Amino acid sequence: MIDPRRLRILRAVADHRTVTAAAAALYLTPSAVSQQLAALEQESGHSLLTRSGRGVRLTAAGEILLTHAHAVLAQLERAEAELAAYAGGVAGEVTVASFATGIAEVLAPAVQQLAGPHPGIRVRVRDAEGDESLPMVLDGEADLAVAVEYRGAPREDDPRLSRVPLYAEPFDAVLPAAHPLGLEAEVALAELADSDWIGPYPGNPCHDVMQLACELAGFQPRLTHSSDDFRAVVALAGAGAGVALVPRSALRGMELKGTVVRPVAGSAATRRVFAAVRRGAEDHPLISPVLDALTRAAAGLTTG
């Protein structure tokens, strides 16, 4: 009989590619993870891992077992949800990981909405960049993520996660006030090909949006200044240091001195925001009301 607790360890190793990283995510020692994997190999009767460079990868048997692990773990999430619903009395804590603008746009309003009809639900907010929140959910550090699409993000049909689309918003071009394109009604990115650029560091989902939009316009942006803080990005643009793409919601209420803000021609530069939970947990009586509140909070926000 295969112990389902060991399937969670197998999935963590598959996600993190090393025993050490999986152990850290699961708050276990590497030796404990190795022991559990060895026991799982005995239970299954197959070798599940093989070394690959400095890490490990799953064997063909390991990949087969991982597919079943996704289904088993999702069903266990559903079982927990049904038992919690049976117990009644919706009360408890839900940890939500979200990037800063997502907190302001949908999470804070959702918390406010929940206070009346669901006073027993306590939402604990964790500020996390858009590419950090999904691993937190998969590793059990958070129950729910407000995340954004990025290169390498789990696909919509990923068996580990259930996703709910929230909103999409355009990126606007932020130019120095004296920039000649500031007189135009909208900016074609190809006209900024020779400019110095200001933007987030590689790995930040907004960096991916900027990079992809510029590639579709036919050039690689010359990223001269880097910051993950959009206030700093806008301040540098205002100082004449370069041009930038900034999500529209991040510009609300911001000091825009020395800059002009213009829409981008076309729709390539878009931030798509969604909520995600571990598959099977979407109907949990604590999590479902939070998802509903997020969806209501996102209704009417900028789309397209």
Side-chain angles (χ1 to χ4, degrees):
M1 179 72 69
I2 293 175
D3 188 334
R5 291 173 298 181
R6 292 177 180 136
L7 296 179
R8 196 178 301 277
I9 292 174
L10 178 69
R11 185 160 80 174
V13 172
D15 286 344
H16 293 280
R17 304 296 182 184
T18 71
V19 169
T20 301
L26 296 169
Y27 297 99
L28 297 172
T29 64
S31 61
V33 168
S34 296
Q35 289 170 10
Q36 292 297 314
L37 289 171
L40 184 59
E41 288 185 326
Q42 276 194 325
E43 291 171 347
S44 66
H46 292 278
S47 176
L48 302 175
L49 297 172
T50 185
R51 292 207 168 275
S52 177
R54 296 185 179 180
V56 294
R57 62 179 176 82
L58 268 59
T59 63
E63 292 287 354
I64 291 171
L65 188 57
L66 180 64
T67 300
H68 290 284
H70 294 324
V72 169
L73 294 174
Q75 191 60 41
L76 287 174
E77 293 280 0
R78 293 186 189 99
E80 290 181 7
E82 287 189 22
L83 287 170
Y86 174 78
V90 178
E93 184 176 88
V94 178
T95 300
V96 184
S98 173
F99 59 103
T101 311
I103 293 172
E105 290 292 302
V106 292
L107 185 48
V111 170
Q112 188 174 29
Q113 287 182 26
L114 286 166
H118 299 284
I121 297 179
R122 302 182 304 279
V123 177
R124 180 172 172 242
V125 178
R126 299 277 301 274
D127 190 337
E129 287 296 339
D131 59 334
E132 296 173 345
S133 57
L134 295 179
M136 290 173 67
V137 169
L138 291 172
D139 291 340
E141 295 180 54
D143 302 300
L144 191 151
V146 176
V148 300
E149 292 286 1
Y150 61 93
R151 294 183 185 184
R155 294 160 43 116
E156 290 187 37
D157 60 354
D158 190 295
R160 301 169 298 171
L161 295 168
S162 289
R163 294 174 28 155
V164 176
L166 294 177
Y167 66 95
E169 63 173 328
F171 280 60
D172 288 325
V174 180
L175 314 173
H179 198 287
L181 291 179
L183 300 175
E184 303 293 331
E186 60 180 16
V187 173
L189 287 184
E191 296 184 78
L192 299 174
D194 294 329
S195 299
D196 288 333
W197 281 76
I198 313 158
Y201 285 98
N204 185 310
C206 290
H207 175 93
D208 289 346
V209 173
M210 175 193 72
Q211 195 79 20
L212 179 60
C214 292
E215 287 175 6
L216 291 174
F219 70 98
Q220 289 282 338
R222 185 170 63 243
L223 188 61
T224 305
H225 308 287
S226 296
S227 174
D228 287 332
D229 186 335
F230 284 120
R231 290 169 300 181
V233 169
V234 170
L236 285 168
V243 302
L245 288 177
V246 178
R248 185 166 292 172
S249 63
L251 293 170
R252 293 189 192 123
M254 190 182 293
E255 173 61 59
L256 299 173
K257 182 179 179 181
T259 68
V260 290
V261 177
R262 293 291 180 266
V264 176
S267 59
T270 303
R271 176 159 70 174
R272 303 191 183 280
V273 181
F274 60 91
V277 300
R278 289 182 295 278
R279 190 171 293 275
E282 58 270 22
D283 293 325
H284 192 286
L286 290 175
I287 293 174
S288 180
V290 179
L291 283 171
D292 290 343
L294 286 168
T295 301
R296 289 194 300 272
L301 290 179
T302 304
T303 58

